[in-house]
Amino acid sequence: MKQLNRTVALGAALALFTALTPALADGVAYVNKGLVGVGRIPANLKDKFGETFGSGSGMAIDVKGWARDGAGYKGSLWLLPDRGYNVVGTTDYRARLNTIAIELSPVAPGAVPAAGQEQSGVKATLADTMLLTDDKGTDATGLDPLNGVRPAAGDMPILPQADNGKLALDNEAIVRLPDGSMFISDEYGPNIYRFSADGHLMSATQPPAALVPMRHGTPNFASDNPGPGAAEPDPKDPETGRQNNQGLEGMAMTPDGKFLIAVLQSASRQDGGDSGATRQNTRALVYDASDLDHLKLAHEYIVPLPVFKDAKDKTKVAAQSEIVALSDKTFLMLTRDSGNGQGLKGEESLLRKINVVDLSAATDIAGGPFDAADKPVAPKGVLDPSVTPAKLTPFIDINDKAELGRFGLHNGAPNDKNDLSEKWEAMSLVSVLDPKLPDDYFLFVANDNDFMTQDGFQVGAAYKAEDGADVDTMFLVYQVTLPKLVTN
């Protein structure tokens, strides 16, 4: 037993040493102090509408309500689910937003939690659920907009519309504004929507033409996820624009509130997005947010996604899943592989990392020829030589075995509830509220569990996820040092 304790302590010390190695980006030292808390929400939880809770596509912490309570913290956050359980096709799942009450009792960086307390540092409780509606008050839907395009009207651009006439939403990221309203990005458009504090659609922003999915020369927002009995789109994939299910996955407001940054999950079709091996040149859109209902594209940059080899030595490109803005030139970006994790046949993830993205030396392509669908910026994945991409600096390795082990978690076999699930897609930042550590923050990271449970209920029907999967919504909390971050 003494030898085991020494081994655990040594592992923790090595993990802390590795974590405290600064990531230098644009002359700034960003420090990851490591995991300080883990928690989960049961996979079979139901919301107030009696439907299976599933969340973690997007997250926003209520910074104003965050408070230190003795040795711990209390507050709340908003968790955004995507389009519902859709293993056999999309359904008429009503878009919604969940409010979560949070209690955090962090362990000291590098410390080993007490036996039996490895995953008790975060207590997350579902407090409320609110439905999202269109500008006429009608519920939005998760159904694939196979052939539907709602005509532009007034300030509203064309919007994805399902066959039942409802606004089709596949929500991915959320930014909560001081007045309670919120920006939500989606996959289908890929659009940025502004909703009121009570969930009513106020405005919508369409991306440059280069990102709008086109089939047969016209906008078509289908994602090749038809509901039961529905036909696939023709053609299956867009000819140009965002790839199927690769929309505006990451979005964040800069700390000064002046700019909204949104990032495409991977490269557009014409920029190499038609192959998993060439989709690395994605785009970051930086909007002037001085007029919240009329966002104006101010800057646009190419962001190179991480490239790696899979278990079969095939070249793969990690998709980005979420961002946290540190300034209008710097943001944290979560990237990951796919097909591996709890509930899936693939056991061990090869890449789940958070990078610091530096835009300061990148070429601004906003408003130029590359914003048109007929002028690729990276044909077949090869970046145009006139364009300098953003710079990526590794910051946090979510798959770090020593860090996960401190909290009873692992990456890979055995494929049990302590194996990380596939889709880590939500991040948010909040201060540690310590005058001695003014540059320290808690970085919350959450998974999208895809509503996988053995006791599910949605859209009037019970269901069981395939292969016995029962995947909780989980939170990982890191303590990080982010110098020069000034919040408004």
Side-chain angles (χ1 to χ4, degrees):
M1 179 61 71
K2 289 183 179 179
Q3 179 61 41
L4 176 61
N5 289 340
R6 283 196 294 267
T7 301
V8 171
L10 178 60
L14 290 173
L16 180 59
F17 174 79
T18 301
L20 290 176
T21 302
L24 295 173
D26 192 27
V28 179
Y30 300 96
V31 180
N32 165 30
K33 294 184 174 179
L35 271 174
V36 296
V38 171
R40 60 177 79 216
I41 295 176
N44 64 352
L45 180 70
K46 306 292 193 301
D47 63 25
K48 72 179 187 182
F49 300 104
E51 296 187 292
T52 296
F53 168 90
S55 240
S57 273
M59 183 201 309
I61 293 179
D62 180 1
V63 177
K64 288 185 177 180
W66 185 249
R68 194 164 186 172
D69 182 20
Y73 301 80
K74 288 186 177 180
S76 64
L77 55 82
W78 296 278
L79 268 186
L80 185 71
D82 56 20
R83 61 187 173 185
Y85 184 70
N86 60 100
V87 169
V88 293
T90 51
T91 65
D92 191 17
Y93 176 75
R94 294 176 294 176
R96 63 198 68 190
L97 178 66
N98 295 304
T99 301
I100 310 295
I102 289 287
E103 295 180 31
L104 172 64
S105 300
V107 301
V112 177
Q117 302 295 313
E118 292 89 351
Q119 296 170 38
S120 61
V122 179
K123 181 181 179 182
T125 307
L126 177 60
D128 197 13
T129 302
M130 177 180 70
L131 296 177
L132 301 176
T133 68
D134 67 11
D135 49 328
K136 299 177 178 62
T138 303
D139 292 339
T141 181
L143 281 168
D144 194 321
L146 295 171
N147 302 292
V149 176
R150 195 177 96 169
D155 282 348
M156 289 285 184
I158 57 172
L159 298 177
Q161 181 173 285
D163 288 348
N164 62 5
K166 294 181 180 180
L167 172 68
L169 286 178
D170 186 0
N171 298 321
E172 293 299 343
I174 178 172
V175 168
R176 193 82 177 202
L177 299 169
D179 65 356
S181 66
M182 65 201 95
F183 286 119
I184 289 177
S185 69
D186 93 310
E187 298 259 47
Y188 288 139
N191 294 328
I192 298 173
Y193 297 99
R194 186 184 178 207
F195 287 89
S196 64
D198 61 358
H200 186 89
L201 180 63
M202 302 171 69
S203 62
T205 300
Q206 194 174 52
L211 306 189
V212 177
M214 304 290 284
R215 289 179 172 89
H216 301 296
T218 60
N220 182 296
F221 301 112
S223 68
D224 193 32
N225 285 274
E232 287 188 337
D234 176 31
K236 176 181 177 180
D237 297 296
E239 291 146 346
T240 60
R242 64 103 180 102
Q243 173 62 289
N244 288 334
N245 303 307
Q246 299 286 301
L248 295 179
E249 190 80 17
M251 183 179 66
M253 184 73 79
T254 56
D256 60 11
K258 293 181 179 180
F259 296 95
L260 183 73
I261 304 176
V263 184
L264 201 66
Q265 188 165 13
S266 65
S268 67
R269 291 284 296 175
Q270 69 271 24
D271 292 335
D274 55 348
S275 168
T278 61
R279 64 177 186 171
Q280 65 265 33
N281 293 299
T282 193
R283 304 194 190 200
L285 309 173
V286 183
Y287 288 94
D288 179 343
S290 56
D291 184 340
L292 298 176
D293 284 321
H294 301 90
L295 298 176
K296 181 180 179 182
L297 184 64
H299 309 286
E300 182 179 351
Y301 306 97
I302 297 301
V303 177
L305 298 171
V307 178
F308 64 99
K309 296 284 188 178
D310 68 8
K312 297 181 180 179
D313 202 38
K314 291 185 178 180
T315 299
K316 297 287 185 180
V317 178
Q320 72 85 18
S321 286
E322 184 58 290
I323 68 169
V324 170
L326 306 180
S327 72
D328 61 332
K329 294 294 184 182
T330 314
F331 56 86
L332 303 180
M333 180 175 70
L334 171 59
T335 57
R336 62 173 180 82
D337 60 1
S338 59
N340 303 303
Q342 187 207 349
L344 300 178
K345 293 179 180 179
E347 291 184 342
E348 186 171 358
S349 164
L350 299 177
L351 190 147
R352 295 188 188 106
K353 289 186 177 180
I354 299 171
N355 294 281
V356 180
V357 179
D358 179 12
L359 304 172
S360 58
T363 304
D364 189 349
I365 63 172
F370 299 123
D371 273 347
D374 60 356
K375 178 64 173 175
V377 72
K380 303 297 182 182
V382 179
L383 186 60
D384 189 290
S386 69
V387 176
T388 300
K391 180 183 177 182
L392 268 62
T393 301
F395 185 41
I396 296 175
D397 183 3
I398 293 176
N399 287 341
D400 185 292
K401 291 183 179 181
E403 280 291 279
L404 294 176
R406 290 169 49 225
F407 288 85
L409 300 172
H410 55 268
N411 170 34
N415 198 331
D416 58 17
K417 293 182 77 69
N418 289 323
D419 179 18
L420 295 189
S421 64
E422 175 195 21
K423 296 182 178 180
W424 291 84
E425 297 191 349
M427 292 196 301
S428 196
L429 199 65
V430 69
S431 174
V432 301
L433 300 178
D434 186 344
K436 297 179 180 178
L437 299 169
D439 294 330
D440 271 27
Y441 297 83
F442 293 123
L443 180 65
F444 279 69
V445 185
N447 67 334
D448 172 7
N449 71 347
D450 272 344
F451 303 87
M452 290 195 290
T453 176
Q454 297 304 293
D455 180 25
F457 187 88
Q458 269 185 19
V459 197
Y463 70 88
K464 288 186 177 182
E466 295 179 341
D467 301 323
D470 214 26
V471 181
D472 293 339
T473 296
M474 289 189 64
F475 300 88
L476 305 178
V477 183
Y478 295 85
Q479 187 167 335
V480 296
T481 303
L482 304 174
K484 300 182 180 180
L485 181 60
V486 179
T487 58
N488 182 0

